[in-house]
Amino acid sequence: MSPLLYLGALLVFFLLWIRVKGLDYVIVHQRWIFVCLFLLPLSVIFDVYYYVRAWLIFKMCSAPKLHDQRVRDIQRQVREWRKNGGGTYMCTGRPGWLTVSLRVGKYKKTHKNIMINMMDILEVDTKRQVVRVEPLANMGQVTALLNSIGWTLPVLPELDDLTVGGLVMGTGIESSSHVYGLFQHICVAYELVLADGSLVRCTEEENSDLFHAVPWSCGTLGFLVAAEIKIVPARSWVKLHYEPVRGLENICRRFAEASADKRNTFVEGIQYSLDSAVVMTGTMTDHAEPDKINRIGLHFKPWFFKHVESYLRGGHSGMEFIPLRQYYHRHTRSIFWELQDIIPFGNNPVFRWLFGWMVPPKISLLKLTQGETIRRLYEQHHVVQDMLVPMKHLQAAITRFHQEINVYPLWLCPFLLPPGRGMVHPKAQQEEELYVDIGAYGEPKVKHFEAKTSTRQLEKFVRDVHGFQMLYADVYMDREEFWEMFDGHLYHKLRAELGCKEAFPEVYDKICKSARH
């Protein structure tokens, strides 16, 4: 029998099994089958298409002309909405399943969808040291192009599929943020189409109020059509030090020391239990010791968080040289540590050698195919949260995370929060402060876990220490609690001045749980 007949028979058997067991059962209990057979190949096709398209458009220098046409088309759609009397809010026409956030916003079905197909890198200006990009350009795309010409972003958030628009309207962070701040703090200009159809450019000097209000506004002040972002010279390697630390007090002290040291270009920590972690510090360099090179991005290499854990198990420090782009996307292949719950054998050496080049599956495709059953399962038995707290409260925060959810590993990423007038700034508005992002991704191990109650306990703790919750995640706060956490003074002022109240929902209504059910 030919291989094609074997494959056909296998496919028929698989479809019959699904029919007998039920699709929901298979997706929930044997999801790896669907992911490996269908989503991994589809993800590869998606990646190839977007990378080739971006490269061709940039090389032909056709993007700027197309960009102006696309902006005019967005203005036309907004003006038509106004001409027809409005009547409903506007939002981008990009399907909710394409976003990296696990949240599925139902407002896409009730609001006026404005189509914004803008995913190109428009210009790299090395004299001004800025790159001008459209909102749907993603981090994988930006990294590949900038690194190829010797430049990089000062803050380049981890996952390939994160878009500039999402990082501006939401937020973004990387292990260099203890020096440069959040993604919004490396942006020097935004271009937006407002509720009246006009196009405006805002910077620190021009339309300054709008410039400060746009970050964290989640598309409720206007449609982002371009952003100018700082770039810095790139080097070939990251010299990365691994330091295992035991004891919660020691972990917090050592992590704070490393984060305050600006000689470290990169700082992050991975906490594997309440009293064990690995603190990593790195610097960029053009030279590497050949016997200490580790190309962690190769498909057959162990997942990065597992590699880091080996230093903890071995009880010894270490140093390696990692290619810059592979360092930037060190957690991409395993989606931090989420992929171990989707493909339990994904870090097995045999799987990595044979199929590792296909991972990770696109988060957007995982969302599209998860169905209501697995969505409810994730909501009730899975945590995906990033809480931003002042460094001085790190020990208390980790203790509270352990009590409320007991999810490990935890991702620890420090960042400098400068004073500002927008939704997010230190309590003492005139002074910068060192904060830390605590990322919890996984299945809670506490018996008393209940999604809403447990998350609300964490939210209250974060509010009490003047911290912030990333808005891509599930938010259970009521309106009063939300605006206690975030500074809404400038945001509400601009919504009134720019006619946003009739055109866009308030950010709370767009992201809170009640708005999606």
Side-chain angles (χ1 to χ4, degrees):
M1 188 180 292
S2 70
L4 284 178
L5 288 177
Y6 276 118
L7 184 61
L10 183 63
L11 181 60
V12 169
F13 177 79
F14 178 63
L15 293 174
L16 287 173
W17 182 59
I18 291 177
R19 184 177 179 84
V20 171
K21 287 289 189 179
L23 185 59
D24 284 345
Y25 176 89
V26 174
I27 289 177
V28 171
H29 297 281
Q30 307 292 338
R31 199 178 185 203
W32 64 267
I33 298 175
F34 182 74
V35 169
C36 292
L37 290 181
F38 299 103
L39 296 194
L40 289 182
L42 281 176
S43 298
V44 171
I45 294 171
F46 263 56
D47 282 336
V48 170
Y49 167 76
Y50 282 118
Y51 278 119
V52 170
R53 180 185 180 279
W55 183 85
L56 288 173
I57 288 178
F58 188 82
K59 289 297 182 182
M60 293 186 296
C61 297
S62 61
K65 181 179 178 181
L66 293 176
H67 173 77
D68 292 339
Q69 293 175 5
R70 289 192 285 257
V71 170
R72 288 193 293 271
D73 182 63
I74 294 167
Q75 292 178 285
R76 176 191 59 78
Q77 293 179 68
V78 173
R79 286 167 180 155
E80 284 184 358
W81 170 84
R82 289 180 61 85
K83 183 179 179 181
N84 294 331
T88 184
Y89 292 134
M90 292 183 289
C91 66
T92 64
R94 189 185 188 209
W97 61 268
L98 277 174
T99 64
V100 170
S101 169
L102 293 179
R103 184 174 61 240
V104 179
K106 296 184 178 180
Y107 62 87
K108 295 282 186 180
K109 298 178 180 179
T110 58
H111 294 182
K112 169 64 176 176
N113 284 204
I114 303 298
M115 300 310 298
I116 301 178
N117 298 312
M118 312 179 78
M119 57 187 71
D120 299 315
I121 300 172
L122 301 174
E123 179 185 10
V124 178
D125 188 335
T126 55
K127 290 184 178 180
R128 291 178 55 220
Q129 295 195 6
V130 298
V131 58
R132 183 167 174 253
V133 298
E134 291 181 328
L136 295 183
N138 65 42
M139 290 300 100
Q141 180 183 344
V142 172
T143 314
L145 189 138
L146 286 180
N147 288 177
S148 71
I149 56 177
W151 295 85
T152 188
L153 297 182
V155 177
L156 204 153
E158 168 69 38
L159 298 178
D160 282 348
D161 290 341
L162 292 170
T163 64
V164 169
L167 294 168
V168 168
M169 292 296 185
T171 192
I173 193 170
E174 184 42 85
S175 55
S176 56
S177 288
H178 68 293
V179 177
Y180 297 101
L182 298 170
F183 189 84
Q184 69 205 56
H185 299 124
I186 65 168
C187 295
V188 298
Y190 306 124
E191 298 169 38
L192 297 101
V193 172
L194 301 181
D196 62 357
S198 62
L199 175 66
V200 299
R201 184 174 185 270
C202 53
T203 67
E204 188 70 63
E205 296 77 27
E206 178 185 8
N207 297 311
S208 178
D209 281 355
L210 184 58
F211 178 75
H212 284 279
V214 163
W216 294 76
S217 65
C218 297
T220 60
L221 293 173
F223 294 110
L224 183 72
V225 294
E228 292 181 21
I229 310 168
K230 294 177 186 176
I231 58 175
V232 294
R235 297 188 176 182
S236 302
W237 305 92
V238 171
K239 183 180 181 181
L240 192 63
H241 293 265
Y242 303 86
E243 181 184 350
V245 187
R246 300 282 182 176
L248 182 57
E249 186 175 345
N250 291 334
I251 292 167
C252 296
R253 176 185 53 78
R254 181 66 193 102
F255 185 73
E257 290 173 353
S259 302
D261 188 349
K262 297 299 192 294
R263 292 174 299 178
N264 295 321
T265 309
F266 306 105
V267 177
E268 78 171 320
I270 301 180
Q271 185 138 0
Y272 292 91
S273 69
L274 182 62
D275 61 356
S276 64
V278 177
V279 176
M280 288 161 278
T281 57
T283 55
M284 281 198 285
T285 178
D286 283 324
H287 305 286
E289 300 175 29
D291 61 332
K292 293 183 178 178
I293 290 175
N294 185 3
R295 301 182 186 276
I296 60 172
L298 297 176
H299 72 276
F300 52 83
K301 289 283 188 174
W303 289 344
F304 183 70
F305 79 97
K306 288 294 188 183
H307 171 63
V308 174
E309 190 177 17
S310 68
Y311 288 95
L312 187 65
R313 291 196 304 267
H316 60 87
S317 300
M319 184 272 290
E320 294 178 328
F321 292 88
I322 299 172
L324 178 63
R325 187 167 188 271
Q326 293 185 15
Y327 172 80
Y328 278 137
H329 299 290
R330 61 201 177 280
H331 295 298
T332 296
R333 282 194 301 131
S334 57
I335 318 178
F336 283 85
W337 26 91
E338 289 275 62
L339 198 57
Q340 66 181 349
D341 292 332
I342 300 172
I343 306 177
F345 48 84
N347 195 48
N348 181 280
V350 175
F351 182 87
R352 292 199 314 263
W353 273 96
L354 295 179
F355 305 108
W357 58 275
M358 302 175 74
V359 300
K362 305 291 278 188
I363 294 176
S364 54
L365 294 179
L366 288 171
K367 285 174 61 178
L368 180 64
T369 58
Q370 67 182 357
E372 282 298 324
T373 301
I374 201 164
R375 185 175 296 127
R376 289 194 301 271
L377 178 73
Y378 261 74
E379 184 174 305
Q380 294 301 322
H381 304 286
H382 200 85
V383 169
V384 179
Q385 291 283 349
D386 282 86
M387 300 290 189
L388 316 180
V389 300
M391 183 68 76
K392 60 191 176 187
H393 297 297
L394 177 59
Q395 184 169 342
I398 292 175
T399 301
R400 181 60 65 90
F401 269 68
H402 182 81
Q403 293 170 348
E404 297 295 341
I405 57 175
N406 191 14
V407 169
Y408 294 100
L410 290 175
W411 189 53
L412 306 179
C413 186
F415 68 97
L416 191 67
L417 188 59
R421 294 179 285 131
M423 288 175 59
V424 172
H425 54 71
K427 187 174 184 179
Q429 293 195 33
Q430 304 306 314
E431 298 179 12
E432 65 184 23
E433 186 172 355
L434 197 60
Y435 273 61
V436 58
D437 172 12
I438 304 176
Y441 325 117
E443 184 177 345
K445 298 299 190 294
V446 293
K447 294 181 179 179
H448 63 269
F449 177 79
E450 198 281 322
K452 181 177 180 178
T453 303
S454 300
T455 304
R456 281 185 56 78
Q457 290 296 323
L458 288 178
E459 290 171 341
K460 183 181 185 305
F461 170 83
V462 171
R463 286 198 308 276
D464 289 344
V465 299
H466 197 74
F468 309 94
Q469 179 181 16
M470 283 198 185
L471 300 183
Y472 79 89
D474 284 333
V475 176
Y476 291 92
M477 291 180 284
D478 62 33
R479 194 179 303 274
E480 182 179 352
E481 292 167 338
F482 183 86
W483 290 117
E484 178 187 337
M485 177 179 285
F486 296 97
D487 184 349
H489 292 90
L490 182 61
Y491 171 78
H492 291 301
K493 172 177 172 286
L494 283 173
R495 275 180 60 81
E497 291 179 358
L498 300 176
C500 298
K501 291 185 176 181
E502 297 76 31
F504 307 105
E506 183 185 300
V507 60
Y508 174 79
D509 294 314
K510 192 170 183 178
I511 59 90
C512 74
K513 291 289 291 181
S514 61
R516 295 179 284 113
H517 294 279

Tab-separated table of all heavy atoms in Angstrom, residues 53-78:
chain	number	residue	atom	x	y	z
A	53	ARG	N	6.362	39.121	2.470
A	53	ARG	CA	5.637	40.328	2.066
A	53	ARG	C	6.332	41.586	2.588
A	53	ARG	O	6.529	42.557	1.849
A	53	ARG	CB	4.200	40.273	2.612
A	53	ARG	CG	3.365	41.487	2.237
A	53	ARG	CD	1.994	41.422	2.904
A	53	ARG	NE	1.183	42.571	2.545
A	53	ARG	CZ	1.282	43.763	3.128
A	53	ARG	NH1	2.172	43.937	4.079
A	53	ARG	NH2	0.516	44.767	2.748
A	54	ALA	N	6.724	41.578	3.880
A	54	ALA	CA	7.390	42.742	4.472
A	54	ALA	C	8.714	43.037	3.776
A	54	ALA	O	9.047	44.188	3.490
A	54	ALA	CB	7.612	42.506	5.968
A	55	TRP	N	9.472	41.996	3.467
A	55	TRP	CA	10.771	42.173	2.819
A	55	TRP	C	10.612	42.762	1.423
A	55	TRP	O	11.326	43.689	1.034
A	55	TRP	CB	11.488	40.827	2.749
A	55	TRP	CG	12.873	40.920	2.172
A	55	TRP	CD1	14.014	41.226	2.834
A	55	TRP	CD2	13.243	40.683	0.806
A	55	TRP	NE1	15.078	41.213	1.976
A	55	TRP	CE2	14.638	40.885	0.724
A	55	TRP	CE3	12.543	40.333	-0.347
A	55	TRP	CZ2	15.343	40.740	-0.466
A	55	TRP	CZ3	13.244	40.190	-1.534
A	55	TRP	CH2	14.622	40.391	-1.593
A	56	LEU	N	9.655	42.239	0.654
A	56	LEU	CA	9.444	42.736	-0.708
A	56	LEU	C	8.999	44.193	-0.717
A	56	LEU	O	9.502	45.012	-1.487
A	56	LEU	CB	8.404	41.867	-1.436
A	56	LEU	CG	8.864	40.460	-1.838
A	56	LEU	CD1	7.690	39.667	-2.398
A	56	LEU	CD2	9.999	40.536	-2.857
A	57	ILE	N	8.060	44.529	0.156
A	57	ILE	CA	7.541	45.903	0.174
A	57	ILE	C	8.627	46.882	0.579
A	57	ILE	O	8.774	47.949	-0.019
A	57	ILE	CB	6.322	46.008	1.110
A	57	ILE	CG1	5.119	45.300	0.475
A	57	ILE	CG2	5.965	47.453	1.412
A	57	ILE	CD1	3.873	45.293	1.323
A	58	PHE	N	9.422	46.518	1.576
A	58	PHE	CA	10.479	47.434	2.008
A	58	PHE	C	11.530	47.604	0.920
A	58	PHE	O	11.990	48.712	0.649
A	58	PHE	CB	11.123	46.928	3.300
A	58	PHE	CG	12.084	47.913	3.901
A	58	PHE	CD1	11.612	48.957	4.681
A	58	PHE	CD2	13.448	47.805	3.683
A	58	PHE	CE1	12.493	49.872	5.242
A	58	PHE	CE2	14.327	48.718	4.230
A	58	PHE	CZ	13.847	49.753	5.017
A	59	LYS	N	11.919	46.496	0.252
A	59	LYS	CA	12.947	46.571	-0.778
A	59	LYS	C	12.482	47.394	-1.971
A	59	LYS	O	13.275	48.081	-2.610
A	59	LYS	CB	13.334	45.160	-1.237
A	59	LYS	CG	14.133	44.377	-0.204
A	59	LYS	CD	15.462	45.041	0.096
A	59	LYS	CE	16.281	44.241	1.091
A	59	LYS	NZ	17.564	44.913	1.416
A	60	MET	N	11.211	47.342	-2.295
A	60	MET	CA	10.691	48.089	-3.442
A	60	MET	C	10.327	49.531	-3.088
A	60	MET	O	9.950	50.309	-3.944
A	60	MET	CB	9.468	47.375	-4.021
A	60	MET	CG	9.787	46.031	-4.650
A	60	MET	SD	8.353	45.296	-5.488
A	60	MET	CE	7.245	45.055	-4.106
A	61	CYS	N	10.447	49.881	-1.814
A	61	CYS	CA	10.145	51.246	-1.349
A	61	CYS	C	8.745	51.697	-1.750
A	61	CYS	O	8.502	52.882	-2.014
A	61	CYS	CB	11.180	52.241	-1.888
A	61	CYS	SG	12.855	51.931	-1.311
A	62	SER	N	7.825	50.754	-1.782
A	62	SER	CA	6.461	51.112	-2.196
A	62	SER	C	5.561	51.412	-1.000
A	62	SER	O	4.470	51.921	-1.168
A	62	SER	CB	5.842	49.962	-3.006
A	62	SER	OG	5.770	48.785	-2.222
A	63	ALA	N	6.007	51.104	0.207
A	63	ALA	CA	5.145	51.244	1.374
A	63	ALA	C	4.716	52.676	1.667
A	63	ALA	O	3.556	52.895	2.007
A	63	ALA	CB	5.828	50.630	2.596
A	64	PRO	N	5.596	53.687	1.572
A	64	PRO	CA	5.134	55.042	1.892
A	64	PRO	C	3.955	55.501	1.037
A	64	PRO	O	3.006	56.094	1.555
A	64	PRO	CB	6.384	55.895	1.633
A	64	PRO	CG	7.519	54.959	1.861
A	64	PRO	CD	7.039	53.641	1.339
A	65	LYS	N	3.985	55.219	-0.244
A	65	LYS	CA	2.888	55.620	-1.126
A	65	LYS	C	1.606	54.881	-0.767
A	65	LYS	O	0.517	55.474	-0.687
A	65	LYS	CB	3.266	55.351	-2.587
A	65	LYS	CG	2.184	55.750	-3.586
A	65	LYS	CD	2.635	55.467	-5.010
A	65	LYS	CE	1.534	55.815	-6.011
A	65	LYS	NZ	1.941	55.529	-7.401
A	66	LEU	N	1.729	53.583	-0.531
A	66	LEU	CA	0.559	52.797	-0.133
A	66	LEU	C	0.042	53.250	1.224
A	66	LEU	O	-1.156	53.225	1.476
A	66	LEU	CB	0.920	51.312	-0.098
A	66	LEU	CG	1.241	50.647	-1.436
A	66	LEU	CD1	1.678	49.206	-1.213
A	66	LEU	CD2	0.045	50.704	-2.369
A	67	HIS	N	0.959	53.671	2.083
A	67	HIS	CA	0.552	54.125	3.406
A	67	HIS	C	-0.380	55.332	3.309
A	67	HIS	O	-1.428	55.367	3.968
A	67	HIS	CB	1.786	54.483	4.234
A	67	HIS	CG	1.456	55.125	5.550
A	67	HIS	ND1	1.006	54.403	6.628
A	67	HIS	CD2	1.472	56.429	5.941
A	67	HIS	CE1	0.773	55.220	7.637
A	67	HIS	NE2	1.051	56.467	7.253
A	68	ASP	N	-0.021	56.301	2.522
A	68	ASP	CA	-0.865	57.499	2.392
A	68	ASP	C	-2.245	57.145	1.859
A	68	ASP	O	-3.264	57.699	2.307
A	68	ASP	CB	-0.192	58.513	1.469
A	68	ASP	CG	1.077	59.099	2.083
A	68	ASP	OD1	1.206	59.028	3.317
A	68	ASP	OD2	1.930	59.612	1.327
A	69	GLN	N	-2.299	56.232	0.908
A	69	GLN	CA	-3.591	55.799	0.363
A	69	GLN	C	-4.428	55.122	1.449
A	69	GLN	O	-5.639	55.346	1.558
A	69	GLN	CB	-3.369	54.843	-0.806
A	69	GLN	CG	-2.743	55.487	-2.032
A	69	GLN	CD	-2.430	54.468	-3.118
A	69	GLN	OE1	-2.765	53.284	-2.990
A	69	GLN	NE2	-1.778	54.903	-4.185
A	70	ARG	N	-3.772	54.292	2.255
A	70	ARG	CA	-4.503	53.573	3.302
A	70	ARG	C	-5.019	54.524	4.376
A	70	ARG	O	-6.119	54.340	4.904
A	70	ARG	CB	-3.607	52.497	3.916
A	70	ARG	CG	-3.337	51.317	2.975
A	70	ARG	CD	-2.691	50.164	3.718
A	70	ARG	NE	-1.302	50.431	4.012
A	70	ARG	CZ	-0.269	49.902	3.348
A	70	ARG	NH1	-0.502	49.109	2.316
A	70	ARG	NH2	0.963	50.167	3.694
A	71	VAL	N	-4.227	55.550	4.699
A	71	VAL	CA	-4.679	56.540	5.677
A	71	VAL	C	-5.910	57.268	5.156
A	71	VAL	O	-6.890	57.472	5.891
A	71	VAL	CB	-3.554	57.548	6.002
A	71	VAL	CG1	-4.105	58.709	6.837
A	71	VAL	CG2	-2.423	56.852	6.754
A	72	ARG	N	-5.880	57.675	3.881
A	72	ARG	CA	-7.039	58.365	3.304
A	72	ARG	C	-8.272	57.478	3.312
A	72	ARG	O	-9.401	57.954	3.509
A	72	ARG	CB	-6.716	58.837	1.877
A	72	ARG	CG	-5.742	60.010	1.822
A	72	ARG	CD	-5.708	60.634	0.440
A	72	ARG	NE	-5.130	59.737	-0.558
A	72	ARG	CZ	-3.837	59.672	-0.855
A	72	ARG	NH1	-2.960	60.450	-0.203
A	72	ARG	NH2	-3.380	58.852	-1.771
A	73	ASP	N	-8.074	56.179	3.110
A	73	ASP	CA	-9.210	55.258	3.126
A	73	ASP	C	-9.806	55.158	4.534
A	73	ASP	O	-11.032	55.083	4.693
A	73	ASP	CB	-8.770	53.868	2.647
A	73	ASP	CG	-9.927	52.879	2.607
A	73	ASP	OD1	-10.867	53.124	1.827
A	73	ASP	OD2	-9.889	51.892	3.366
A	74	ILE	N	-8.957	55.167	5.566
A	74	ILE	CA	-9.455	55.151	6.940
A	74	ILE	C	-10.225	56.430	7.237
A	74	ILE	O	-11.308	56.398	7.836
A	74	ILE	CB	-8.284	54.971	7.926
A	74	ILE	CG1	-7.658	53.583	7.745
A	74	ILE	CG2	-8.749	55.156	9.369
A	74	ILE	CD1	-6.329	53.420	8.434
A	75	GLN	N	-9.691	57.564	6.784
A	75	GLN	CA	-10.396	58.836	6.976
A	75	GLN	C	-11.760	58.810	6.292
A	75	GLN	O	-12.755	59.295	6.831
A	75	GLN	CB	-9.552	59.991	6.435
A	75	GLN	CG	-8.289	60.257	7.235
A	75	GLN	CD	-7.466	61.380	6.625
A	75	GLN	OE1	-6.807	61.205	5.601
A	75	GLN	NE2	-7.520	62.551	7.259
A	76	ARG	N	-11.808	58.231	5.102
A	76	ARG	CA	-13.071	58.135	4.371
A	76	ARG	C	-14.086	57.296	5.150
A	76	ARG	O	-15.264	57.682	5.285
A	76	ARG	CB	-12.831	57.502	2.989
A	76	ARG	CG	-14.109	57.260	2.187
A	76	ARG	CD	-13.849	56.394	0.968
A	76	ARG	NE	-13.293	55.100	1.312
A	76	ARG	CZ	-13.994	54.083	1.793
A	76	ARG	NH1	-15.311	54.217	1.999
A	76	ARG	NH2	-13.414	52.930	2.058
A	77	GLN	N	-13.653	56.166	5.713
A	77	GLN	CA	-14.565	55.315	6.470
A	77	GLN	C	-15.114	56.042	7.703
A	77	GLN	O	-16.302	55.937	8.019
A	77	GLN	CB	-13.830	54.043	6.916
A	77	GLN	CG	-13.425	53.113	5.782
A	77	GLN	CD	-12.682	51.894	6.307
A	77	GLN	OE1	-13.258	51.039	6.982
A	77	GLN	NE2	-11.400	51.804	6.014
A	78	VAL	N	-14.245	56.790	8.396
A	78	VAL	CA	-14.685	57.510	9.587
A	78	VAL	C	-15.671	58.612	9.215
A	78	VAL	O	-16.702	58.803	9.891
A	78	VAL	CB	-13.471	58.094	10.342
A	78	VAL	CG1	-13.930	59.000	11.485
A	78	VAL	CG2	-12.586	56.970	10.881
